[in-house]
């Protein structure tokens, strides 16, 4: 049983994916972290995230990097969005995600292209969206709690830039699979969003 949860940044897809994994007793992979790790590794190498060669060279990042809290920063998200446009980077990260998705018993993965590229056969596909103001507000509160001072205007601008890059890139753009269920969390609190996602997943699973 594969559950694919796709959507833009701060749409609530990560929270929903973790809750679905706990509810159905499945392992969960946040695939954005892989792209964030590549982005950070490029920076640590002194490379250019817009260079396909520099980005590909960073795909061999050590697993320990995935635990670095810095991966959650806005800067890492921006770097991830830049390295993720390179087809060679997407290919380099494909097998790891595919192996996770197809492990015996099933899995929950969240990202941008899980339902379209990584696991098109997923039993459940959710495409989670929310308005830019709702997402910016959430990210702002998260950053405040994490002690990272960023203005709401900066966050909105960053979200819009990343959305544009993710939606318009040539390879694996952010796109709802034709058989995905749309879940708009703009007006939903965390618990309501989770309850709705579980209901939708259960309906899909029959
Ligand atoms: O989900 P998160 O905000 O952590 O993702 C960071 C960036 O990584 C996204 O903006 C996107 O460009 C990229 N990404 C991707 N494909 C995925 C997951 C993330 O291209 N499956």
């Amino acid at each position: 049983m594969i559950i694919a949860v796709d959507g833009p940044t701060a749409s609530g897809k990560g929270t929903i994916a973790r809750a679905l994994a706990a509810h159905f007793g499945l392992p969960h992979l946040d695939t954005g972290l892989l792209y964030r790790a590549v982005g950070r590794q490029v920076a640590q190498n002194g490379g250019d995230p817009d260079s396909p060669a520099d980005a590909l060279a960073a795909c061999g990042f050590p697993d320990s990097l995935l635990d670095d809290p810095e991966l959650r920063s806005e800067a890492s998200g921006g770097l991830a969005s830049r390295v993720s446009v390179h087809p060679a980077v997407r290919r380099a990260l494909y097998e790891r995600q595919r192996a996770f998705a197809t492990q015996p018993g099933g899995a929950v993965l969240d990202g941008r292209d899980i339902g379209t590229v990584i696991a098109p056969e997923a039993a459940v596909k959710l495409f989670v969206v929310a308005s830019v103001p709702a997402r910016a507000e959430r990210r702002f509160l998260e950053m405040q709690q994490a002690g990272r001072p960023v203005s709401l205007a900066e966050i909105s601008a960053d979200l819009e830039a990343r959305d544009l890059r993710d939606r318009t890139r040539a390879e694996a753009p952010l796109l709802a699979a034709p058989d995905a269920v749309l879940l708009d969390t703009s007006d939903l609190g965390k618990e309501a969003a989770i309850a709705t996602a579980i209901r939708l997943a259960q309906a899909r699973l029959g």
Side-chain angles (χ1 to χ4, degrees):
M1 175 164 83
I2 304 175
I3 300 183
V5 185
D6 289 305
T9 203
S11 57
K13 68 181 182 333
T15 303
I16 286 172
R18 273 191 302 279
L20 287 172
H23 182 82
F24 291 105
L26 294 170
H28 164 236
L29 179 66
D30 168 0
T31 64
L33 270 189
L34 304 177
Y35 291 92
R36 286 170 181 258
V38 175
R40 278 243 72 77
Q41 188 65 52
V42 173
Q44 281 174 14
N45 293 349
D48 173 5
D50 300 321
S51 148
D54 286 3
L56 182 62
C59 289
F61 62 82
D63 274 1
S64 56
L65 187 56
L66 294 172
D67 299 321
D68 184 345
E70 189 50 36
L71 289 194
R72 309 271 172 195
S73 70
E74 285 300 287
S76 295
L79 286 170
S81 164
R82 286 164 68 187
V83 297
S84 71
V85 304
H86 305 306
V89 168
R90 307 202 70 85
R91 271 197 298 279
L93 298 181
Y94 174 84
E95 279 309 330
R96 184 180 188 143
Q97 297 173 79
R98 183 71 195 156
F100 193 93
T102 56
Q103 64 188 290
V108 180
L109 290 87
D110 73 85
R112 302 290 187 290
D113 61 343
I114 308 304
T116 50
V117 176
I118 304 296
E121 78 277 38
V124 177
K125 295 182 188 179
L126 295 183
F127 196 78
V128 186
V129 296
S131 67
V132 169
R135 290 157 55 208
E137 179 76 29
R138 284 177 201 160
R139 187 43 61 87
F140 180 68
L141 292 175
E142 256 174 48
M143 290 293 146
Q144 266 192 333
Q145 276 163 12
R148 297 177 193 274
V150 199
S151 77
L152 197 55
E154 251 178 289
I155 292 180
S156 295
D158 180 65
L159 282 181
E160 286 182 305
R162 269 213 268 162
D163 280 0
L164 185 69
R165 199 154 42 217
D166 290 353
R167 286 184 207 280
T168 56
R169 69 181 172 220
E171 180 133 334
L174 171 65
L175 186 74
D179 53 345
V181 185
L182 196 73
L183 170 51
D184 188 336
T185 66
S186 305
D187 299 319
L188 298 178
K190 184 175 155 183
E191 296 311 322
I194 290 173
T196 308
I198 292 176
R199 190 170 44 71
L200 291 172
Q202 262 158 351
R204 270 297 162 106
L205 291 169

